[in-house]
Structure formats: structure tokens, C-alpha cells
Amino acid sequence: MSKLHALTWLLFAGTAFIAALLFPALLFYLSIYPHLGYDQSRILNNLNSNLFFKLIFFVVLASVIYHGFYRAKAIFQELFPKSEGAIEMIMIGLALFLVVIALIITVIL
Amino acid sequence: MRNKVGYLRNPRYTFKLIRELSSFAIALYAIYLLIRLYALRYNVTIPTYLDLALALLAMFFALYHSITWLYLLPKLAKGYSNVNSLFILAIVAWAAISFILIYVLI
């Protein structure tokens, strides 16, 4: 296993932990709780004012995105074994691009 | 597997496929959440019924993904006979972490 492959797998394992444990709660807070009467502007206030919230949002959303794209990569590689290398580059590249977008939206903006 | 249809013929592979796809589904929903968070800054809202439907679907996939992942954890504890009690302990710990996170965010 090359070092790069080992690194991407290690990230996958770490993000699995965060995605499985924390994403359902964050999803409830961001998407379901507002429909039960929670004021959405408070979510925005948390995002704008508190670095701790920004980091939680970023870490969890980025983990979910990377983890999901890595798993999809594995499925596509099983379905199309002749294009393993290209699939790896495209899916990991997309995942990292979306992680950067997540960083911009949740932390920087 | 020698052919692509193998995923659907064997229930264990079908279960594995759904588990993998659930992870990708919540990744796509996370992208939607980012777009929604960005739109919220400019007071752009998405229709309530659509937003709620997507949220509930994503929650189903997220719970499926989390529970199947937690189910695998006790299998790492080789030599420990009571795997079911480890799984229940993992679920309780996960529920506690989720409640604490929601409490902190609210």
C-alpha cells in the first residue's frame, strides 16, 4: 500500500468515527429542530459569532463528505475495476475540494 | 464478486451495498446543508415541505449508517463473548454523546 493510499485510508477511518457519532445530532439540530419551532437565525448567530460552533460544523460536515465519497469510491472501483486509478483521483479530489468549500462556508465566511 | 449483479443476489452483499450507499447519501445531504447554510446568510429559504422531507430521509440514512457502524465495533473486541452487551453499551454511549452535543449547540 503506498503512503498516499495509507493516508487516505487513515482519514477515512477517522472520519468514520466522527460521521457515525456526531452527524445525526448535528443533522437534528440544523435540519429537524428548526421545523419544531427553533429559530433558524440562532443557527446563523452561532455560525457567525462562535469559533467553537464553526469548528464543530466544519469538522463534522467535512468528515461526512470525505467519508461518503471514499465509500462511494470503493463501490465504483468494485463495479469498474479497470478504472481504479481514475476513480480514486476523481472521488478523492472531489472530496477534498468539497472539504475546502466546507471550510470556506463554515469557518472563513 | 464476479459480476455486478452479485450485490443484489446475496443478502449480505445487499446489506453491505446499502450501508455503503447510506454513507454516500449523507455526504450528498451534507453538501446540501452547506448550500443551505450559505443561503441562510442571504435570507434565501428552501420550501419547508421539501426541506423536511430531505431532512427525514437523511436522518434515516444517518441512523442506518451509525447503527451499522456501531454494530461492527464490538466485533473488534476479539475474545469477548458478550458482543450484544458491547453493542448496547456502544448505542447508549452514542446516544449520550448526541444528547450532549445537541444540548451544547442549543
Side-chain angles (χ1 to χ4, degrees):
Chain A
M1 189 188 267
S2 69
K3 282 183 182 173
L4 189 62
H5 195 187
L7 182 63
T8 57
W9 188 89
L10 204 62
L11 267 175
F12 164 72
T15 53
F17 188 75
I18 295 169
L21 289 186
L22 302 181
F23 184 66
L26 189 69
L27 193 159
F28 176 80
Y29 172 72
L30 288 175
S31 299
I32 296 175
Y33 202 36
H35 291 284
L36 299 174
Y38 187 69
D39 188 7
Q40 285 205 72
S41 62
R42 287 185 66 176
I43 296 173
L44 203 52
N45 286 340
N46 285 338
L47 251 184
N48 286 336
S49 59
N50 197 320
L51 182 63
F52 176 68
F53 285 116
K54 290 182 181 201
L55 288 175
I56 288 179
F57 289 170
F58 167 67
V59 168
V60 177
L61 291 179
S63 297
V64 168
I65 288 169
Y66 181 86
H67 184 74
F69 272 75
Y70 194 98
R71 290 230 198 189
K73 176 206 73 128
I75 293 175
F76 289 140
Q77 284 178 331
E78 277 194 33
L79 292 174
F80 308 106
K82 289 181 182 174
S83 310
E84 261 189 41
I87 289 169
E88 177 134 17
M89 271 177 50
I90 290 168
M91 295 302 280
I92 300 294
L94 262 177
L96 293 175
F97 172 72
L98 289 166
V99 165
V100 171
I101 298 291
L103 179 69
I104 292 169
I105 291 176
T106 54
V107 179
I108 297 174
L109 279 182
Chain B
M1 273 172 292
R2 298 181 69 180
N3 58 50
K4 297 169 192 180
V5 187
Y7 274 124
L8 302 175
R9 283 193 183 153
N10 185 326
R12 286 180 66 186
Y13 287 138
T14 307
F15 171 78
K16 187 192 170 194
L17 179 67
I18 295 171
R19 196 183 71 208
E20 304 293 305
L21 289 178
S22 72
S23 179
F24 188 55
I26 62 175
L28 294 178
Y29 187 77
I31 296 168
Y32 166 76
L33 270 181
L34 285 172
I35 296 169
R36 231 189 73 197
L37 282 173
Y38 185 73
L40 206 57
R41 291 175 193 273
Y42 299 100
N43 293 321
V44 174
T45 53
I46 288 139
T48 310
Y49 59 91
L50 180 65
D51 194 52
L52 184 59
L54 285 174
L56 291 173
L57 187 63
M59 183 55 96
F60 168 74
F61 282 122
L63 291 175
Y64 185 87
H65 173 257
S66 296
I67 290 170
T68 51
W69 187 81
L70 288 169
Y71 185 70
L72 288 175
L73 272 185
K75 294 181 193 292
L76 297 173
K78 288 179 185 174
Y80 192 78
S81 58
N82 205 345
V83 173
N84 285 335
S85 60
L86 268 181
F87 173 55
I88 291 167
L89 197 63
I91 293 280
V92 168
W94 170 54
I97 291 168
S98 299
F99 277 123
I100 291 169
L101 179 61
I102 292 172
Y103 181 77
V104 166
L105 289 172
I106 290 172

XYZ file of all heavy atoms in Angstrom, chain A residues 16-17 20-33 35 38 40 42-44 46-48 52-53 56-57 61 64-65 67-69 71-72 75 78-80 98 102 105-106 109, chain B residues 1 4 7 16-17 19-21 23-24 26-31 33-38 40-41 45 48 51-52 55-56 58-59 62-63 65-66 69-70 94 97-98 101-102 104-106:
777
model
N -14.896 8.185 9.736
C -15.986 7.243 10.030
C -16.469 7.436 11.460
O -17.675 7.471 11.734
C -15.507 5.805 9.842
N -15.509 7.586 12.355
C -15.800 7.762 13.775
C -16.634 9.020 14.002
O -17.679 8.997 14.665
C -14.454 7.848 14.508
C -14.545 7.836 15.989
C -14.808 6.670 16.679
C -14.362 8.998 16.707
C -14.884 6.661 18.062
C -14.442 9.005 18.089
C -14.701 7.835 18.764
N -20.215 8.851 12.161
C -21.188 7.950 12.792
C -21.671 8.505 14.130
O -22.849 8.399 14.470
C -20.577 6.563 12.988
N -20.766 9.078 14.896
C -21.132 9.501 16.253
C -21.804 10.868 16.304
O -22.694 11.077 17.112
C -19.896 9.510 17.155
C -19.321 8.153 17.537
C -18.201 8.315 18.545
C -20.391 7.239 18.103
N -21.342 11.805 15.475
C -21.784 13.186 15.647
C -22.776 13.692 14.600
O -23.531 14.624 14.877
C -20.573 14.131 15.673
C -19.523 13.856 16.751
C -18.399 14.882 16.667
C -20.156 13.878 18.135
N -22.769 13.136 13.395
C -23.605 13.711 12.347
C -25.104 13.645 12.630
O -25.814 14.629 12.378
C -23.281 13.092 10.984
C -24.060 13.723 9.863
C -23.841 15.041 9.506
C -25.023 13.017 9.171
C -24.562 15.646 8.481
C -25.750 13.607 8.144
C -25.521 14.926 7.808
N -25.648 12.515 13.144
C -27.106 12.516 13.410
C -27.555 13.649 14.333
O -28.586 14.272 14.076
C -27.341 11.142 14.040
C -26.269 10.281 13.483
C -25.074 11.194 13.392
N -26.768 13.933 15.361
C -27.134 15.003 16.288
C -27.073 16.355 15.588
O -27.965 17.199 15.741
C -26.210 14.995 17.504
N -26.028 16.568 14.786
C -25.889 17.840 14.073
C -27.010 17.991 13.044
O -27.561 19.072 12.858
C -24.523 17.924 13.390
C -24.188 19.287 12.798
C -23.964 20.312 13.884
C -22.964 19.206 11.900
N -27.357 16.898 12.393
C -28.444 16.918 11.413
C -29.757 17.291 12.085
O -30.548 18.090 11.573
C -28.560 15.537 10.749
C -29.404 15.406 9.494
C -28.987 14.178 8.723
C -30.879 15.305 9.777
N -29.991 16.716 13.270
C -31.204 17.051 14.015
C -31.220 18.543 14.329
O -32.236 19.225 14.133
C -31.289 16.235 15.305
C -32.457 16.605 16.171
C -33.725 16.131 15.897
C -32.300 17.466 17.246
C -34.816 16.492 16.671
C -33.388 17.840 18.037
C -34.640 17.347 17.742
N -30.094 19.081 14.798
C -30.024 20.487 15.189
C -30.215 21.418 13.993
O -30.953 22.404 14.064
C -28.672 20.773 15.852
C -28.413 22.242 16.134
C -29.103 22.909 17.141
C -27.496 22.971 15.383
C -28.889 24.245 17.391
C -27.274 24.309 15.622
C -27.971 24.939 16.628
O -27.752 26.272 16.863
N -29.572 21.106 12.865
C -29.608 22.003 11.710
C -30.871 21.865 10.869
O -31.312 22.836 10.263
C -28.389 21.742 10.815
C -27.028 22.205 11.341
C -25.927 21.767 10.380
C -26.998 23.716 11.518
N -31.423 20.656 10.795
C -32.476 20.413 9.805
C -33.841 20.053 10.361
O -34.842 20.341 9.726
C -32.054 19.274 8.870
O -30.889 19.626 8.193
N -33.921 19.407 11.509
C -35.222 18.965 12.019
C -35.709 19.875 13.141
O -36.896 20.234 13.179
C -35.154 17.488 12.473
C -34.858 16.607 11.255
C -36.434 17.061 13.158
C -34.649 15.156 11.542
N -34.818 20.274 14.027
C -35.212 21.130 15.148
C -35.842 22.451 14.687
O -36.821 22.903 15.289
C -34.006 21.371 16.061
C -34.353 21.767 17.469
C -35.463 21.246 18.127
C -33.567 22.686 18.162
C -35.781 21.613 19.409
C -33.874 23.059 19.459
C -34.974 22.522 20.078
O -35.294 22.890 21.356
N -37.797 22.912 12.258
C -39.188 22.614 11.893
C -40.048 22.379 13.127
O -41.276 22.354 13.030
C -39.250 21.382 10.980
C -38.667 21.629 9.627
N -39.331 22.352 8.653
C -37.482 21.277 9.096
C -38.565 22.411 7.570
N -37.440 21.780 7.816
N -37.624 25.858 16.477
C -36.364 26.514 16.860
C -36.045 27.598 15.836
O -36.147 27.384 14.637
C -35.249 25.465 16.903
C -33.935 25.962 17.434
C -33.776 26.300 18.768
C -32.838 26.074 16.597
C -32.555 26.740 19.250
C -31.615 26.505 17.073
C -31.473 26.838 18.400
O -30.264 27.273 18.876
N -34.253 29.715 13.308
C -33.098 29.450 12.436
C -32.043 30.535 12.518
O -30.869 30.288 12.256
C -33.556 29.314 10.980
C -34.244 27.994 10.690
C -34.137 27.611 9.230
O -33.093 27.243 8.743
N -35.250 27.685 8.523
N -30.862 31.747 15.076
C -29.902 31.399 16.145
C -28.784 30.512 15.604
O -27.647 30.579 16.056
C -30.617 30.698 17.304
C -31.468 31.648 18.127
C -32.055 30.973 19.333
N -31.021 30.588 20.281
C -31.261 30.037 21.459
N -32.513 29.807 21.825
N -30.298 29.700 22.270
N -29.145 29.678 14.617
C -28.125 28.844 13.984
C -27.108 29.760 13.299
O -25.894 29.566 13.404
C -28.746 27.881 12.966
C -29.680 26.899 13.667
C -27.666 27.119 12.202
C -30.460 26.015 12.724
N -27.645 30.757 12.595
C -26.776 31.691 11.893
C -25.915 32.489 12.871
O -24.724 32.732 12.635
C -27.637 32.634 11.059
C -26.963 33.307 9.878
C -26.269 32.287 8.998
C -27.979 34.080 9.066
N -24.913 31.489 15.794
C -23.874 30.586 16.275
C -22.740 30.480 15.262
O -21.562 30.501 15.610
C -24.445 29.189 16.535
C -25.265 29.139 17.810
O -25.098 29.976 18.689
N -26.152 28.187 17.897
N -23.123 30.402 13.978
C -22.115 30.284 12.919
C -21.270 31.541 12.824
O -20.072 31.482 12.575
C -22.807 30.061 11.571
C -22.682 28.684 10.950
C -23.339 28.669 9.604
C -21.233 28.258 10.816
N -21.927 32.701 12.969
C -21.219 33.964 12.784
C -20.341 34.345 13.964
O -19.314 34.980 13.806
C -22.228 35.098 12.533
C -22.814 35.026 11.140
O -22.198 34.467 10.240
N -23.999 35.566 10.975
N -16.085 28.004 18.225
C -16.308 26.613 18.628
C -17.381 25.961 17.757
O -17.198 24.846 17.258
C -16.717 26.588 20.112
C -17.069 25.228 20.629
C -16.110 24.242 20.760
C -18.373 24.922 20.985
C -16.441 22.984 21.236
C -18.723 23.671 21.461
C -17.751 22.692 21.590
N -18.501 26.681 17.537
C -19.564 26.145 16.690
C -19.092 25.984 15.252
O -19.403 25.000 14.583
C -20.784 27.069 16.713
C -21.581 26.970 17.978
C -21.702 28.057 18.822
C -22.203 25.797 18.327
C -22.417 27.967 19.999
C -22.926 25.692 19.500
C -23.030 26.785 20.334
N -17.063 22.886 15.024
C -17.901 21.668 15.085
C -18.570 21.435 13.739
O -18.536 20.326 13.191
C -18.985 21.781 16.187
C -18.349 21.679 17.558
C -20.025 20.676 16.024
C -19.347 21.800 18.684
N -19.187 22.493 13.194
C -19.870 22.354 11.903
C -18.888 21.880 10.835
O -19.172 20.951 10.077
C -20.472 23.691 11.451
C -21.659 24.148 12.242
C -22.151 25.434 12.070
C -22.282 23.340 13.164
C -23.246 25.876 12.801
C -23.373 23.766 13.900
C -23.854 25.052 13.718
N -19.208 18.168 9.129
C -19.634 18.157 7.722
C -18.503 17.685 6.806
O -18.728 16.895 5.884
C -20.136 19.547 7.303
C -21.452 19.984 7.959
C -21.844 21.381 7.502
C -22.573 19.006 7.645
N -18.130 13.889 7.144
C -19.207 13.163 6.458
C -18.966 13.156 4.950
O -19.118 12.119 4.289
C -20.573 13.793 6.795
C -21.656 13.276 5.887
C -20.935 13.528 8.240
N -18.573 14.301 4.413
C -18.351 14.395 2.966
C -17.197 13.487 2.543
O -17.323 12.688 1.605
C -18.076 15.862 2.563
C -19.358 16.679 2.670
C -17.521 15.949 1.149
C -19.154 18.167 2.547
N -15.838 10.919 4.120
C -16.152 9.521 4.374
C -17.098 8.957 3.303
O -16.881 7.855 2.778
C -16.779 9.391 5.755
C -17.052 7.986 6.156
N -16.069 7.104 6.533
C -18.210 7.291 6.215
C -16.607 5.946 6.811
N -17.910 6.019 6.629
N -18.135 9.714 2.974
C -19.113 9.270 1.984
C -18.497 9.103 0.602
O -18.743 8.118 -0.092
N -17.668 10.072 0.209
C -17.035 9.985 -1.102
C -16.017 8.846 -1.151
O -15.849 8.202 -2.185
C -16.377 11.324 -1.468
C -17.327 12.263 -2.151
C -18.315 12.919 -1.423
C -17.258 12.481 -3.506
C -19.211 13.767 -2.047
C -18.155 13.333 -4.145
C -19.128 13.975 -3.415
N -16.265 5.995 0.505
C -17.052 4.765 0.385
C -17.601 4.611 -1.036
O -17.614 3.506 -1.582
C -18.210 4.761 1.368
C -17.786 4.604 2.789
C -18.566 3.541 3.451
N -18.488 3.637 4.892
C -18.948 2.729 5.704
N -19.531 1.656 5.226
N -18.830 2.871 7.000
N -18.054 5.719 -1.615
C -18.565 5.660 -2.986
C -17.436 5.264 -3.937
O -17.638 4.490 -4.882
C -19.154 7.016 -3.383
N -17.042 1.543 -3.916
C -18.089 0.848 -4.679
C -17.813 0.970 -6.167
O -17.866 -0.013 -6.909
C -19.484 1.432 -4.358
C -19.851 1.123 -2.923
C -20.539 0.862 -5.297
C -21.145 1.756 -2.486
N -15.139 -1.308 -7.317
C -15.567 -2.706 -7.433
C -16.391 -2.920 -8.696
O -16.296 -3.968 -9.337
C -16.412 -3.109 -6.210
C -15.571 -3.511 -5.023
C -16.386 -4.215 -3.945
O -17.348 -4.919 -4.285
O -16.028 -4.062 -2.777
N -17.180 -1.905 -9.047
C -18.027 -2.030 -10.242
C -17.225 -1.847 -11.531
O -17.539 -2.458 -12.552
C -19.156 -0.992 -10.186
C -20.214 -1.213 -9.103
C -21.180 -0.033 -9.059
C -20.978 -2.495 -9.327
N -16.195 -0.999 -11.488
C -15.387 -0.705 -12.682
C -13.912 -0.873 -12.343
O -13.175 0.106 -12.230
C -15.656 0.729 -13.168
C -17.105 1.047 -13.360
C -17.783 1.866 -12.464
C -17.804 0.530 -14.430
C -19.128 2.154 -12.632
C -19.153 0.809 -14.611
C -19.814 1.618 -13.717
N -14.541 19.622 -1.883
C -15.743 19.941 -1.096
C -15.392 20.226 0.361
O -16.063 21.030 1.007
C -16.745 18.784 -1.194
C -17.395 18.662 -2.564
C -18.099 17.318 -2.713
C -18.393 19.797 -2.806
N -16.387 23.516 2.349
C -16.982 23.466 3.692
C -16.222 24.383 4.639
O -16.824 25.088 5.462
C -16.970 22.034 4.230
N -17.253 28.024 3.825
C -18.618 28.371 4.210
C -18.795 28.384 5.729
O -19.460 29.266 6.279
C -19.643 27.406 3.566
C -19.699 27.651 2.056
C -21.033 27.582 4.175
C -20.594 26.705 1.305
N -18.214 27.431 6.425
C -18.482 27.327 7.872
C -17.524 28.160 8.717
O -17.936 28.691 9.744
C -18.397 25.863 8.349
O -17.135 25.323 7.963
C -19.513 25.033 7.764
N -16.159 32.409 6.031
C -17.170 33.432 5.696
C -17.863 33.987 6.935
O -18.047 33.311 7.920
C -18.213 32.838 4.747
C -17.818 32.789 3.276
C -18.962 32.214 2.458
C -17.482 34.186 2.765
N -16.644 -10.634 -5.960
C -17.820 -10.896 -6.773
C -17.439 -10.910 -8.239
O -16.695 -10.062 -8.679
C -18.844 -9.791 -6.546
C -19.724 -10.082 -5.374
S -20.716 -8.665 -5.026
C -19.461 -7.548 -4.461
N -21.495 -7.693 -11.461
C -22.041 -6.556 -10.740
C -23.341 -6.910 -10.039
O -23.690 -6.314 -9.036
C -22.268 -5.399 -11.710
C -20.979 -4.903 -12.346
C -21.235 -3.958 -13.496
C -19.940 -3.743 -14.264
N -20.103 -2.843 -15.390
N -24.199 -8.061 -6.007
C -24.641 -7.244 -4.885
C -26.089 -7.531 -4.525
O -26.489 -7.444 -3.378
C -24.531 -5.746 -5.238
C -23.171 -5.147 -4.979
C -22.466 -4.523 -5.988
C -22.608 -5.170 -3.714
C -21.232 -3.949 -5.752
C -21.370 -4.595 -3.465
C -20.691 -3.989 -4.490
O -19.471 -3.417 -4.241
N -24.451 -4.810 2.626
C -23.207 -4.049 2.545
C -23.357 -2.881 1.565
O -22.926 -1.762 1.845
C -22.058 -4.963 2.102
C -20.705 -4.282 2.149
C -19.633 -5.092 1.453
C -18.371 -4.230 1.330
N -17.393 -4.757 0.415
N -24.014 -3.133 0.437
C -24.199 -2.083 -0.569
C -25.030 -0.941 -0.002
O -24.688 0.232 -0.165
C -24.876 -2.660 -1.816
C -25.156 -1.655 -2.937
C -23.866 -1.146 -3.547
C -26.028 -2.278 -4.018
N -25.374 -0.137 3.104
C -24.567 0.543 4.116
C -23.603 1.514 3.465
O -23.443 2.646 3.919
C -23.812 -0.485 4.957
C -23.257 0.079 6.253
C -22.457 -0.948 6.995
N -21.204 -1.221 6.326
C -20.563 -2.384 6.410
N -21.061 -3.372 7.103
N -19.434 -2.571 5.776
N -22.966 1.087 2.397
C -22.021 1.974 1.706
C -22.755 3.153 1.074
O -22.300 4.301 1.151
C -21.265 1.208 0.606
C -20.519 -0.030 1.065
C -19.345 0.267 1.986
O -18.469 1.052 1.601
O -19.323 -0.282 3.100
N -23.896 2.871 0.452
C -24.645 3.940 -0.208
C -25.244 4.918 0.796
O -25.394 6.112 0.485
C -25.744 3.356 -1.105
C -25.235 2.657 -2.367
C -26.406 2.071 -3.152
C -24.461 3.626 -3.257
N -23.838 5.949 3.411
C -22.758 6.882 3.707
C -22.648 7.947 2.621
O -22.461 9.131 2.920
C -21.461 6.087 3.822
O -20.387 6.921 4.081
N -22.774 7.533 1.359
C -22.701 8.489 0.252
C -23.913 9.411 0.257
O -23.804 10.608 -0.024
C -22.590 7.747 -1.083
C -22.313 8.645 -2.258
C -21.230 9.503 -2.251
C -23.131 8.638 -3.371
C -20.956 10.340 -3.324
C -22.875 9.465 -4.452
C -21.793 10.314 -4.434
N -25.614 10.486 2.857
C -25.489 11.544 3.855
C -24.379 12.518 3.477
O -24.426 13.689 3.866
C -25.327 11.005 5.296
C -24.084 10.188 5.482
C -26.557 10.229 5.723
C -23.864 9.756 6.943
N -23.400 12.074 2.689
C -22.398 13.010 2.174
C -23.061 14.025 1.239
O -22.778 15.224 1.301
C -21.288 12.267 1.441
N -23.966 13.542 0.383
C -24.685 14.441 -0.519
C -25.567 15.398 0.279
O -25.670 16.587 -0.048
C -25.549 13.632 -1.506
C -24.778 12.773 -2.496
C -25.732 11.980 -3.378
C -23.856 13.634 -3.368
N -26.169 14.890 1.355
C -27.001 15.763 2.187
C -26.136 16.808 2.901
O -26.564 17.939 3.100
C -27.809 14.964 3.212
C -28.795 15.845 3.942
C -29.985 16.234 3.323
C -28.532 16.326 5.211
C -30.873 17.066 3.952
C -29.424 17.161 5.849
C -30.593 17.536 5.224
O -31.479 18.379 5.854
N -24.926 16.429 3.291
C -24.017 17.392 3.927
C -23.694 18.529 2.966
O -23.583 19.696 3.379
C -22.729 16.702 4.388
N -23.557 18.216 1.670
C -23.331 19.258 0.658
C -24.546 20.169 0.578
O -24.434 21.406 0.536
C -23.041 18.626 -0.719
C -21.741 17.820 -0.674
C -22.961 19.694 -1.804
C -21.517 16.937 -1.866
N -26.589 20.745 3.020
C -26.568 21.543 4.255
C -25.642 22.750 4.113
O -25.965 23.843 4.589
C -26.079 20.695 5.431
C -27.115 19.929 6.234
C -26.442 19.162 7.364
C -28.179 20.863 6.795
N -24.510 22.549 3.466
C -23.583 23.659 3.247
C -24.237 24.734 2.387
O -24.115 25.931 2.673
C -22.303 23.162 2.567
C -21.333 22.396 3.440
C -20.216 21.813 2.591
C -20.744 23.298 4.517
N -24.930 24.284 1.334
C -25.620 25.240 0.451
C -26.694 25.975 1.238
O -26.854 27.196 1.117
C -26.236 24.511 -0.768
C -25.125 23.905 -1.633
C -27.104 25.451 -1.588
C -25.619 22.961 -2.701
N -27.417 25.242 2.087
C -28.476 25.859 2.896
C -27.911 26.870 3.890
O -28.479 27.944 4.090
C -29.238 24.774 3.650
C -30.729 24.878 3.477
C -31.440 23.947 4.382
N -31.360 24.444 5.747
C -31.606 23.708 6.814
N -31.912 22.452 6.694
N -31.523 24.222 8.020
N -26.777 26.507 4.513
C -26.142 27.427 5.465
C -25.700 28.696 4.754
O -25.834 29.809 5.281
C -24.937 26.753 6.135
C -25.249 25.769 7.259
C -23.982 25.057 7.705
C -25.902 26.471 8.435
N -25.151 28.534 3.546
C -24.713 29.684 2.760
C -25.909 30.545 2.374
O -25.865 31.778 2.481
C -23.960 29.201 1.517
C -23.365 30.315 0.685
C -22.248 31.006 1.119
C -23.922 30.673 -0.544
C -21.694 32.024 0.366
C -23.375 31.686 -1.301
C -22.265 32.360 -0.846
O -21.712 33.372 -1.592
N -28.732 30.759 3.920
C -29.324 31.365 5.116
C -28.732 32.743 5.399
O -29.410 33.642 5.901
C -29.077 30.428 6.304
C -30.049 30.488 7.484
C -31.465 30.237 7.036
C -29.646 29.466 8.530
N -27.453 32.920 5.060
C -26.810 34.217 5.274
C -27.458 35.318 4.425
O -27.400 36.480 4.763
C -25.329 34.135 4.909
C -24.507 33.293 5.855
C -23.078 33.178 5.332
N -22.352 32.141 6.031
C -21.693 32.298 7.163
N -21.681 33.471 7.746
N -21.052 31.306 7.733
N -34.558 30.990 1.606
C -35.026 29.766 2.256
C -35.533 28.766 1.215
O -35.956 29.151 0.130
C -36.148 30.063 3.258
O -37.156 30.816 2.584
C -35.631 30.859 4.438
N -40.462 24.542 2.853
C -40.476 23.777 4.100
C -40.698 22.295 3.874
O -40.004 21.469 4.470
C -41.579 24.327 5.031
O -41.436 25.716 5.115
C -41.478 23.715 6.401
N -37.618 20.673 2.382
C -36.535 20.658 3.351
C -36.755 19.573 4.401
O -35.839 18.817 4.738
C -36.459 22.036 4.023
C -35.169 22.219 4.774
O -34.109 21.989 4.161
O -35.214 22.562 5.958
N -37.990 19.480 4.911
C -38.297 18.489 5.941
C -38.205 17.070 5.378
O -37.664 16.168 6.030
C -39.693 18.744 6.519
C -40.114 17.847 7.674
C -39.145 17.970 8.845
C -41.533 18.194 8.130
N -34.639 16.178 5.061
C -34.046 16.015 6.392
C -34.400 14.651 6.985
O -33.532 13.966 7.548
C -34.512 17.130 7.317
N -35.661 14.251 6.846
C -36.085 12.968 7.405
C -35.429 11.798 6.668
O -35.015 10.817 7.288
C -37.612 12.848 7.354
C -38.358 13.792 8.296
C -39.863 13.729 8.062
C -38.047 13.475 9.755
N -32.541 11.950 5.130
C -31.129 11.964 5.535
C -30.961 11.392 6.936
O -29.991 10.682 7.214
C -30.582 13.389 5.484
N -31.907 11.697 7.812
C -31.830 11.179 9.177
C -31.933 9.649 9.173
O -31.212 8.970 9.911
C -32.945 11.785 10.042
C -32.892 11.351 11.508
S -31.308 11.689 12.304
C -31.638 13.246 13.095
N -28.601 8.439 8.039
C -27.582 8.707 9.066
C -27.692 7.703 10.213
O -26.670 7.183 10.686
C -27.733 10.131 9.593
N -28.926 7.434 10.642
C -29.115 6.468 11.726
C -28.728 5.057 11.268
O -28.107 4.298 12.019
C -30.576 6.484 12.206
C -31.001 7.749 12.947
C -32.485 7.714 13.264
C -30.194 7.930 14.223
N -26.530 4.307 8.990
C -25.067 4.296 8.906
C -24.446 4.170 10.296
O -23.544 3.363 10.520
C -24.591 5.582 8.211
C -23.110 5.747 8.218
N -22.452 6.610 9.063
C -22.143 5.159 7.492
C -21.165 6.539 8.857
N -20.939 5.671 7.911
N -24.943 4.963 11.247
C -24.375 4.964 12.602
C -24.589 3.631 13.305
O -23.662 3.086 13.909
C -24.996 6.087 13.430
O -24.658 7.331 12.885
N -22.452 0.909 11.824
C -21.045 1.133 12.193
C -20.804 0.719 13.643
O -19.820 0.059 13.955
C -20.692 2.604 11.979
C -19.245 2.911 12.174
C -18.234 2.729 11.285
C -18.642 3.464 13.350
N -17.038 3.129 11.827
C -17.261 3.594 13.102
C -19.141 3.867 14.585
C -16.370 4.107 14.032
C -18.252 4.379 15.513
C -16.886 4.486 15.238
N -21.732 1.097 14.535
C -21.605 0.711 15.940
C -21.716 -0.814 16.105
O -21.110 -1.383 17.003
C -22.677 1.411 16.779
C -22.476 2.906 16.987
C -23.714 3.526 17.597
C -21.267 3.179 17.863
N -23.295 6.383 22.400
C -23.576 7.230 21.241
C -24.757 8.167 21.521
O -24.707 9.353 21.195
C -23.861 6.339 20.023
C -24.403 7.058 18.821
C -23.882 8.133 18.188
C -25.591 6.721 18.116
N -24.671 8.495 17.132
C -25.714 7.642 17.050
C -26.553 5.720 18.258
C -26.770 7.594 16.146
C -27.598 5.666 17.354
C -27.707 6.606 16.320
N -23.572 10.931 23.846
C -22.760 11.929 23.122
C -23.659 12.825 22.274
O -23.467 14.047 22.216
C -21.707 11.219 22.238
C -20.644 10.548 23.102
C -21.037 12.197 21.272
C -19.742 9.596 22.350
N -24.651 12.235 21.629
C -25.568 13.019 20.773
C -26.359 14.017 21.602
O -26.494 15.184 21.213
C -26.536 12.088 20.029
O -25.830 11.206 19.201
N -24.111 16.864 22.642
C -23.826 17.769 21.520
C -25.019 18.677 21.228
O -24.869 19.879 21.050
C -23.457 16.958 20.267
C -23.153 17.779 19.011
C -21.961 18.696 19.221
C -22.900 16.872 17.814
N -26.226 18.105 21.212
C -27.428 18.908 20.950
C -27.611 19.936 22.061
O -27.927 21.102 21.796
C -28.678 18.003 20.817
C -28.583 17.169 19.544
C -29.957 18.832 20.810
C -29.643 16.116 19.423
N -25.298 21.309 23.938
C -24.285 22.361 23.783
C -24.667 23.306 22.645
O -24.540 24.524 22.765
C -22.897 21.727 23.526
C -21.905 22.749 23.019
C -22.380 21.063 24.786
N -25.157 22.757 21.537
C -25.485 23.594 20.383
C -26.695 24.484 20.666
O -26.727 25.634 20.230
C -25.773 22.715 19.155
C -24.554 22.022 18.543
C -24.993 21.030 17.479
C -23.604 23.039 17.933
N -27.684 23.931 21.397
C -28.896 24.710 21.668
C -28.585 25.781 22.716
O -29.002 26.913 22.602
C -30.045 23.789 22.132
C -30.509 22.930 20.944
C -31.208 24.590 22.677
C -31.490 21.865 21.332
